[in-house]
Amino acid sequence: MGCFFGGSALAEKVVIIGSGPAGWSAAIYAARASLSPLVFEGTFKPEMIPLGQLAFTTEVENYPGFPFGNIRGFVESAVAKDRHWNLPPIPEHSKDPKNRNSLDDIAPHYAVQGVELMELMKQQALNFDTRVVEDDIVDIDLSSKPYKVIPAKGEPIEAHTIIVATGARANYLGLESEEEYKNKGVSACAVCDGALPTFHAKPLAVVGAGDSAVEEATYLANLKSAVKVYMIVRRDEMRASKIMQERALNHPKIEVIWNSVVDEVLGDGNLVTGLRLKSTLDGSTSELAVGGMFVAIGHTPNTSFLGDKLEMNEKGYIQWAKPFRTNTSVDGVFAAGDVADDYYRQAITSAGTGCMAALDVERWLAENGIE
Ligand code: NDP
């Protein structure tokens, strides 16, 4: 674990908390810089989901470098066999070995799945010198250096630097029927999922009235296959900025349904077929036929284990201390990915800031004489 400067020789050079695109990208860069990173990947508690939000995503069509095609063969060849159980099932048409050997016939429309993309990133980190612990971090002690990270099950670990990459989770309405139809017509990301065949040429609904909801509705309404997009707004006005509101209100394919909330997601067992809406004025209900519901009612960053030890912005996201650097308010603690980003929230931007955090750690260690 190298020599030290004013700390324990046994302290880790860098502990990475989180295992989404930011965590694995940080690990790849830190490992290749010989920092031997230790990644806490989380368990299945709500805050620390192994592989992050992408574990809940099906096709990922916007991550550069992953066009659809014979992705499955590549994933299976690259990811260690003992983790194949975690990969999504092979699509029906690819099960026939005859199809799987023909370049034209092998799942021509099969985009990389969220879990596959994350397993590939994890494997890339493991290929160098990354160590992974299946545990949650429940607290950190930043009162003296080296810092301590405190896992739920294991012993506290000393660390010269920490990268917080715990992400943010989309808020949902909390309906049982919403849970049942997640990935079957219910989504919290139009940019990620809106162009999927499931939603082609169907009326769709966006729930929420903030800038995100307008952005999602506009994105969906501008797709070539768009038919109609309903915005379900619980009050008689929107929270979104004026200019965004006008964008929605003037769009020929967007219709706002005011003073309404979703009471139930309706479906045929396989896919969403509609919504039962409830008026917030008189409690009356009505049904709306849609093929998908996009929930855009805000996100919650996964920061509860931090208490108030790092400076957060007014929305509860970790605040970067310097523009375009991943340093937080505490020296030697860095933040990457959605936990520090309430604006872009994309896998590719998370991966980018994960890389930045590892480079910032490398420089910090060099400046502090830790080899
Ligand atoms: P916001 O918190 O701004 O808006 C959340 C919306 O969801 C509100 O309209 C709220 O309604 C509604 N809502 C919350 N809970 C429910 C519920 N249970 N049922 C129905 N509706 C509900 O979150 P956003 O994600 O939209 O935006 C976050 C931040 O990111 C904002 O600061 C925004 O400006 C920014 N942003 C900027 C963009 C841009 O500039 N292009 C794009 C996207 C986001 P109510 O109003 O009644 O409380």
Side-chain angles (χ1 to χ4, degrees):
M1 310 286 156
C3 72
F4 66 99
F5 182 76
S8 163
L10 293 174
E12 296 289 337
K13 285 184 188 153
V14 57
V15 165
I16 297 167
I17 311 173
S19 56
W24 294 125
S25 302
I28 292 164
Y29 272 77
R32 287 173 59 83
S34 305
L35 303 182
S36 188
L38 184 66
V39 175
F40 280 87
E41 74 172 344
T43 62
F44 287 91
K45 302 257 172 62
E47 277 217 2
M48 288 269 289
I49 302 295
L51 311 180
Q53 285 292 299
L54 281 180
F56 304 127
T57 307
T58 51
E59 291 91 343
V60 180
E61 294 180 326
N62 58 4
Y63 198 90
F66 287 87
F68 50 65
N70 183 14
I71 301 283
R72 183 74 192 200
F74 171 58
V75 174
E76 285 183 358
S77 70
V79 170
K81 277 206 169 53
D82 64 352
R83 297 206 313 277
H84 285 191
W85 68 269
N86 194 28
L87 303 179
I90 297 168
E92 219 37 59
H93 54 278
S94 295
K95 281 189 178 155
D96 185 341
K98 188 167 80 251
N99 289 343
R100 303 193 84 204
N101 290 325
S102 144
L103 269 182
D104 285 338
D105 288 340
I106 297 167
H109 296 293
Y110 183 53
V112 72
Q113 307 279 300
V115 170
E116 292 175 341
L117 185 59
M118 287 301 92
E119 285 288 3
L120 287 168
M121 286 195 197
K122 176 175 178 176
Q123 188 63 47
Q124 204 169 348
L126 292 173
N127 286 350
F128 303 105
D129 186 21
T130 298
R131 290 156 303 140
V132 179
V133 184
E134 284 176 29
D135 205 347
D136 297 285
I137 297 301
V138 291
D139 199 358
I140 60 176
D141 179 355
L142 305 177
S143 58
S144 61
K145 289 180 182 166
Y147 303 131
K148 282 193 196 69
V149 296
I150 296 134
K153 293 182 291 221
E155 293 297 309
I157 305 273
E158 286 190 332
H160 291 295
T161 67
I162 298 169
I163 296 175
V164 180
T166 44
R169 55 192 187 280
N171 298 336
Y172 282 91
L173 300 169
L175 301 169
E176 254 175 52
S177 52
E178 171 191 55
E179 193 61 37
E180 184 187 341
Y181 284 101
K182 271 186 193 166
N183 286 332
K184 296 176 185 170
V186 170
S187 164
C189 182
V191 179
C192 321
D193 299 335
L196 296 177
T198 317
F199 300 112
H200 270 204
K202 291 179 182 168
L204 302 170
V206 173
V207 185
D211 283 334
S212 295
V214 173
E215 207 167 62
E216 302 256 298
T218 315
Y219 177 84
L220 293 170
N222 285 339
L223 291 174
K224 268 196 200 133
S225 62
V227 181
K228 178 102 181 168
V229 179
Y230 298 100
M231 286 188 72
I232 317 296
V233 176
R234 64 181 175 182
R235 293 185 290 139
D236 61 0
E237 59 178 352
M238 288 197 202
R239 183 180 294 272
S241 53
K242 195 100 186 104
I243 188 164
M244 295 287 275
Q245 287 191 37
E246 278 166 13
R247 205 169 289 170
L249 295 171
N250 295 332
H251 199 294
K253 288 187 181 169
I254 297 178
E255 181 181 331
V256 180
I257 301 183
W258 303 98
N259 301 306
S260 296
V261 289
V262 176
D263 194 40
E264 203 72 76
V265 178
L266 309 172
D268 60 9
N270 287 321
L271 290 172
V272 169
T273 56
L275 302 176
R276 188 168 70 226
L277 302 180
K278 190 172 173 183
S279 162
T280 52
L281 297 178
D282 60 15
S284 60
T285 58
S286 57
E287 287 191 8
L288 181 70
V290 290
M293 175 177 86
F294 291 83
V295 186
I297 59 170
H299 284 73
T300 303
N302 300 320
T303 54
S304 63
F305 71 101
L306 293 168
D308 57 2
K309 289 167 190 151
L310 299 180
E311 200 174 301
M312 314 282 181
N313 69 15
E314 69 286 358
K315 295 171 203 152
Y317 288 75
I318 297 176
Q319 181 77 53
W320 283 353
K322 302 177 191 177
F324 222 71
R325 296 285 182 277
T326 63
N327 309 59
T328 67
S329 53
V330 175
D331 185 44
V333 180
F334 302 83
D338 288 5
V339 76
D341 171 21
D342 62 24
Y343 191 77
Y344 295 107
R345 297 192 303 244
Q346 299 298 303
I348 184 68
T349 50
S350 290
T353 54
C355 157
M356 287 159 64
L359 296 175
D360 288 338
V361 159
E362 200 183 339
R363 282 168 200 158
W364 189 97
L365 291 169
E367 282 163 14
N368 286 274
I370 298 165
E371 292 168 1

